[in-house]
């Protein structure tokens, strides 16, 4: 809607001014109209005239644009524009049909969640998973063919620490003893083993040496495709436990399934090959390792292959970048990670940019802050005080008056998604499930209320309206703005813009509901049409967020 008027008003302004100029329309407070522009103030200096006088001339011309009811010049030369009620009504009814599709037919890889096997999926991973799922939905709704992928470390020092503690717990390489671990306890058991192994690695030099040897042994399990030794059987069994636990949680959250999971072991060889192929030009050998000197780019030196000849996280990331492009030939690649990965990935990308600049140009990396305890402590599985994803869900269920999965899961999702990506989040289960304020259940209930109204009437709905009362117009105006809210969210890959819009829209709808009788009213046809348009927009927005849309609450 706004783009259509922007184009028409640009043409009008050019005719009045006599010069090429672009018009930007903004949304003022409702009392001032539907659009506002400062084009007269921008153009006055170009032609040497008074801004307010020029604004009056442009405003007069704008009133001739079809759909415009009136204009008003304000302040030093702002032009406020009010549309015909019929135009606002029509735009509201067509809102979900006007969602922009700028990514139509593009191939986009969305990488998110990225939990490591052998460690529990904690609250930070929960946040990454839900935000990544929403961004993938956003991109898909914009017309792209989205490939959802997941990446995690099934090799590396954290695995070696966990495997050391597992073997110690089992009294040796005895895979049969794993049968005693109950299914429901497996992910927690693995997480506890990691904490034990991590503490031992930091406090005992002999154990540290043993774990370092296990690290190499795990790579050999993969390179030799060992499936039969006792150590290998323990490794493969526990890795599968982790994957099963991740899938169970993703299913519980209602996430769209991942198309592909990239274990680090699957990208290590290509990472090694790629880095080695560019030694001398991009990377260099140093004390038996292979490094990239990032200082000349304002970054830092990072090791890509260690002195043992194994790829580091950086080397594996190089392999992942190559694999994703080989698999999907993407137009763009979206990645969301914890903010702790920001500098690390900056170095990786700068190194890859030296020989694959196009892949780096196509990559969008978002980082998010930390999920904290109520007292502000960071969550870390290294410290053993980790809050797991399941802990967050269980706490939310405990705080809710309902045991309806759709409501509770919606509460968690919305509480995370309503925050701008980047800052830390202090999660409060009690406020997340409230039916008042800016919460998921508040918005879900507004949708249920609309569906209830629609379910009680079989009357035909109006397809046009020449006049709207103030409550009707406020609702129609807000509904018509959904494509703009969607475009704003898409432009920055930020779902919180959808949350803000839906919350404001729900408030406007609730005020409309308090003032306007819908059924058995002389204006029932117009109001039913508006309620239906509102329901479609709210459901569409909740779909982008990945939130359930319950039929009743």
């Amino acid at each position: 809607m706004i783009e259509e008027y922007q184009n028409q008003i640009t043409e009008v302004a050019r005719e009045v001014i006599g010069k090429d100029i672009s018009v930007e329309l903004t949304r003022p407070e409702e009392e001032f109209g539907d659009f506002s522009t400062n084009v007269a103030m921008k153009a006055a200096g170009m032609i040497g005239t008074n801004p307010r006088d020029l604004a009056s001339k442009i405003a007069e011309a704008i009133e001739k644009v079809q759909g415009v009811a009136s204009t008003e010049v304000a302040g030093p030369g702002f032009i406020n524009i009010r549309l015909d009620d019929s135009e606002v009504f029509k735009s509201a009814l067509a809102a979900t049909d006007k969602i922009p599709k700028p990514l139509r037919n593009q191939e986009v890889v969305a990488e998110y969640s990225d939990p490591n096997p052998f460690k529990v999926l904690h609250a930070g991973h929960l946040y990454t998973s839900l935000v990544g799922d929403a961004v993938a939905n956003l991109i898909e709704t914009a017309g792209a063919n989205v490939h959802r992928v997941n990446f995690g470390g099934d090799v590396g020092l954290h695995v070696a620490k966990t495997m050391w503690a597992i073997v110690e717990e089992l009294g040796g390489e005895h895979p049969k003893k794993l049968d005693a671990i109950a299914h429901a306890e497996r992910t927690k058991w693995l997480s506890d083993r990691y904490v034990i192994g991590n503490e031992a690695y930091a406090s005992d030099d002999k154990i540290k040496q043993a774990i370092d040897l296990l690290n190499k042994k795990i790579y050999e399990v993969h390179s030799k495709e060992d499936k039969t030794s006792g150590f290998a059987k323990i490794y493969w069994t526990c890795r599968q436990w982790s994957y099963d636990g991740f899938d169970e949680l993703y299913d519980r959250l209602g996430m769209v399934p991942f198309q592909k999971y990239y274990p680090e072991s699957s990208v290590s060889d290509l990472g090694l090959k790629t880095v080695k192929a560019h030694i001398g030009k991009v990377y260099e050998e140093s004390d038996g390792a292979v490094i990239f000197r990032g200082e000349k780019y304002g970054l830092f030196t990072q090791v890509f292959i260690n002195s043992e000849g194994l790829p580091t996280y950086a080397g594996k990331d190089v392999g992942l970048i190559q694999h994703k492009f080989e698999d999907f030939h993407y137009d763009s690649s979206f990645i969301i990670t914890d903010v702790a990965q920001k500098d690390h990935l900056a170095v990786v990308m700068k190194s890859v940019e030296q020989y694959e600049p196009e892949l780096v140009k196509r990559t969008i990396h978002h980082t998010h802050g930390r999920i904290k305890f109520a007292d502000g402590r960071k969550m870390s599985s290294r410290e053993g005080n980790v809050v797991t994803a399941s802990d967050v869900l269980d706490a939310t269920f405990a705080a809710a008056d309902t045991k309806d999965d759709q409501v509770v899961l919606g509460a968690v999702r919305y509480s995370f998604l309503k925050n701008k990506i980047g800052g830390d989040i202090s999660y409060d289960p009690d406020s997340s499930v409230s039916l008042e304020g800016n919460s998921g259940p508040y918005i879900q209930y507004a949708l249920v209320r609309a569906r209830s109204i629609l379910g009680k009437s079989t009357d035909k709905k109006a397809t046009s309206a020449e006049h709207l009362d103030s409550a009707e117009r406020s609702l129609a105006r807000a509904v018509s703005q959904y494509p703009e809210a969607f475009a704003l969210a898409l432009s920055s890959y930020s779902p919180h813009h959808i949350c803000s819009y839906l919350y404001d829209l729900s408030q406007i709808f609730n005020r409309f509901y308090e003032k306007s009788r819908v059924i058995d009213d002389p204006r029932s046809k117009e109001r039913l049409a508006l309620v239906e348009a509102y329901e479609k927009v709210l459901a569409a927005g909740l779909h982008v967020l990945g939130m359930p849309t319950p039929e009743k609450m």
Side-chain angles (χ1 to χ4, degrees), residues 137-154:
N137 291 340
L138 186 70
I139 295 169
E140 192 168 58
T141 304
N145 183 23
V146 177
H147 306 280
R148 294 167 169 84
V149 304
N150 206 334
F151 176 59
D154 66 332

